[in-house]
Every structure is written in C-alpha cells, then in structure tokens.
Amino acid sequence: MTITLQDVAVILGLRIHGLPITGTCDIDWSLLCYELLGVTPPTSEIRGSAISTRWLCHQFSHPPVDLDDATLEQYARAFILGLIGSALFTDKKGTHIHMCYLPLLRDLTQTSMYSWGSVVLAHLYRELCRASLDGATVIARCVTLLQLWS
C-alpha cells in the first residue's frame, strides 16, 4: 500500500485536479514581498528563497484596526503563506518558509484552483526518498499526511 492522490484529497481536503503549480525561483524576493505583502523583509530575515517564519509571524500577527481591502489581502497572503510553510511544505528546522509559493497567492481568487494535493504528495515522496538515504536524521514536508494515513 502507498499514499495516493485520493488519500491526499480525503485526508487533507486538498484539490488534486486543477492548475499545475509551477514557477521560477529567479525572482527578486524583496520586491515580490513588497508587492504582495506590502513590506520588505530585512535581508537578515531572507535565506536564499526562504523567509524567516519568526519574522513573518511577528510582522503579521497584529493587523491594524482600520483594514482596507488591500491590507486585508496582504494579511491573507501572509497567513496563507505561513500555513503553506508550516503545515504543507515545512523545512527540516521549521525556521523558514519558501517564498516560491508567494507568486501563486497574487490573485487570491485563483489560489484555490491549483492542484495543491499533487504537490504535497510529490514533495512527501521526494522527502521520504531523501530520508531513506544513509546518514539522514530528519524528515521534512507534510509528515502529518503520512501520520494520518498510516
């Protein structure tokens, strides 16, 4: 037995049919953060194409009282990015969130149309392969799926 796309859909409630999740990592991450989140993170909080989880949580933990639509969308993007990075595509330490998913949050009406379940399963299989190598001591990605499935 093995985890299937249907298992992902049932266990996590993620879409398994829809738009493919593709993109590029050749992006100016600071500029993209400013465009979609309304704030540029300090360079000390960016590691390659990942942003500090601590910084993201601290920056967006207290929304202003008088939210306009643009600010509400920025906070929603930050929340969804944090959810993606902490539940679906975690790194081994849990300290950083990959920003490659941020461009997919540009149009929030399209975000639910992506095949998130396919990517979660592909990343889980990739991580299981890496974890089986000699010397591997930790595993990342969506281990919640693995735990609930087993």
Side-chain angles (χ1 to χ4, degrees), residues 1-54:
M1 291 182 73
T2 187
I3 303 174
T4 65
L5 280 173
Q6 193 152 6
D7 293 328
V8 175
V10 171
I11 293 170
L12 297 178
L14 294 174
R15 185 182 188 95
I16 56 171
H17 301 289
L19 300 172
I21 295 181
T22 61
T24 180
C25 287
D26 188 25
I27 296 174
D28 182 345
W29 298 113
S30 296
L31 186 62
L32 184 68
C33 282
Y34 182 74
E35 176 191 346
L36 298 179
L37 300 177
V39 64
T40 303
T43 54
S44 62
E45 301 296 338
I46 297 177
R47 185 180 71 198
S49 63
I51 191 169
S52 165
T53 305
R54 181 183 47 81

Side-chain angles (χ1 to χ4, degrees), residues 39-84:
V39 64
T40 303
T43 54
S44 62
E45 301 296 338
I46 297 177
R47 185 180 71 198
S49 63
I51 191 169
S52 165
T53 305
R54 181 183 47 81
W55 178 85
L56 187 69
C57 291
H58 180 264
Q59 188 68 35
F60 291 96
S61 61
H62 301 291
V65 178
D66 54 341
L67 282 175
D68 59 357
D69 288 343
T71 306
L72 182 62
E73 283 189 6
Q74 291 166 351
Y75 273 78
R77 284 187 194 103
F79 177 79
I80 295 168
L81 183 64
L83 184 63
I84 288 170

Side-chain angles (χ1 to χ4, degrees), residues 21 29 32 36 81 84-85 88-89 97-106 116 119 123 141:
I21 295 181
W29 298 113
L32 184 68
L36 298 179
L81 183 64
I84 288 170
L88 300 179
F89 306 110
I97 297 170
H98 289 278
M99 290 186 287
C100 61
Y101 305 104
L102 190 55
L104 301 170
L105 305 177
R106 178 174 272 121
W116 291 101
V119 177
H123 277 244
R141 305 299 180 218

